[in-house]
Amino acid sequence: MNLKSVIRKLLCLAVATSAATFGASAAGRIFKLDNVDCTVYLPDPSMATGRAVVILPGGGYSHHAMEHEGHQWAPFFNQQGIAVAVLKYRLPNGDRSIPMNDVKSTFRTMRDSAANWKINPADIGIMGSSAGGHLASTIATHTDGVEKPDFQILFYPVVSLDPAITHAGTRTGFLGQNPILGDQEEFSNANVVDAGTPPAIIFHSNDDKAVHPMNSIGYYTALQKAGVPAALHIYPVGGHGWGYRASFPYHDQVLEELRAWLRLLPSPKQ
């Protein structure tokens, strides 16, 4: 183990033991990580399943929809015994390594702290909405080892950076004003799905005018071709950016579909 890993473990121990200073919820403990702008919500220990999910809110890589695409999801997962880390990743402004490094760092910390937080290090997934969905699918397809998620939950994700179907702000924010074609192809993440890509569940609205449903359809198709377990739910109406909002016409259905998928998703042994 190198010096950086030892230091990170010591920091995580300090954060975990002082979690009460950041408050507590009915579900469990709530605290901040030191190395990134991330809030961790741990379920009550008696309910903990060992599963965890890192949540990446959307915002077109220009801002963050932290509440309805982030923090408001924490009780839903905690009530199922799932730990949650809501990450306010740094915006790329054309440098994709910036938000990617924040997510990678979060996964390293989650796995370093797994024993202290009663998390299974082999059962940590990623969830993203819109541009956060692009970042989530990027991490799912461009990482290995401790930085790679074990499953994906994607809401109306930007997957393709092809101008014909992408969200323009997401494309510019991630790649810059004048991206080269090779980068556009590589980070149109359906192009790089393989058999090692983690299982996914994807939600979208048919009438989404901000992020074309073909983003989700293309990603699902690539997952299926690669033999990766995947589910796709496209609702007739709802537009874009609904997240956890109860005003979304299919809100209850989304929650039930997600509960069922999580319940049936195998939990790997440590």
Side-chain angles (χ1 to χ4, degrees):
M1 183 181 295
N2 60 34
L3 180 60
K4 287 185 177 178
S5 294
V6 172
I7 293 171
R8 189 164 59 246
K9 278 184 175 293
L10 290 172
L11 286 172
C12 291
L13 278 167
V15 170
T17 55
S18 63
T21 63
F22 292 97
S25 69
R29 293 174 294 166
I30 303 172
F31 53 93
K32 291 277 192 178
L33 299 186
D34 286 342
N35 54 336
V36 287
D37 190 351
C38 183
T39 305
V40 176
Y41 299 82
L42 295 182
D44 187 290
S46 66
M47 299 175 60
T49 62
R51 178 165 286 163
V53 61
V54 176
I55 298 181
L56 311 179
Y61 288 134
S62 66
H63 63 282
H64 301 88
M66 293 302 299
E67 294 306 317
H68 68 286
E69 292 179 351
H71 298 294
Q72 291 177 13
W73 279 100
F76 169 83
F77 287 105
N78 279 179
Q79 288 161 13
Q80 297 172 78
I82 300 171
V84 173
V86 180
L87 175 63
K88 187 177 182 181
Y89 50 89
R90 291 172 295 162
L91 300 173
N93 295 311
D95 183 350
R96 56 184 174 267
S97 69
I98 293 173
M100 289 180 69
N101 285 341
D102 283 354
V103 183
K104 291 176 182 179
S105 179
T106 301
F107 269 89
R108 290 194 300 268
T109 299
M110 295 286 281
R111 289 192 164 113
D112 282 346
S113 305
N116 299 308
W117 298 345
K118 301 189 183 306
I119 290 172
N120 180 351
D123 198 9
I124 305 176
I126 198 164
M127 171 174 148
S129 302
S130 195
H134 179 261
L135 185 55
S137 63
T138 297
I139 296 298
T141 53
H142 288 79
T143 58
D144 291 298
V146 298
E147 298 170 347
K148 192 178 188 71
D150 296 300
F151 58 89
Q152 309 172 69
I153 302 168
L154 304 176
F155 287 91
Y156 38 86
V158 180
V159 175
S160 176
L161 298 182
D162 182 337
I165 61 170
T166 194
H167 175 261
T170 297
R171 180 176 185 269
T172 300
F174 195 74
L175 295 179
Q177 291 289 341
N178 299 296
I180 63 173
L181 182 59
D183 286 348
Q184 176 184 301
E185 292 299 312
E186 179 182 352
F187 292 99
S188 292
N189 295 318
N191 294 337
V192 290
V193 165
D194 60 25
T197 302
I201 185 169
I202 311 167
F203 299 92
H204 219 119
S205 296
N206 188 61
D207 63 347
D208 191 331
K209 303 302 182 186
V211 177
H212 198 288
M214 284 305 300
N215 283 265
S216 289
I217 294 169
Y219 197 54
Y220 170 79
T221 301
L223 292 165
Q224 188 184 51
K225 285 182 177 178
V228 177
L232 173 62
H233 301 275
I234 299 182
Y235 301 101
V237 297
H240 185 77
W242 27 272
Y244 196 77
R245 288 174 174 153
S247 58
F248 178 58
Y250 299 93
H251 175 75
D252 291 343
Q253 188 171 337
V254 167
L255 300 188
E256 187 50 43
E257 294 286 2
L258 184 51
R259 281 193 198 96
W261 186 80
L262 289 165
R263 187 168 60 247
L264 295 173
L265 184 69
S267 294
K269 294 182 179 180
Q270 298 187 38

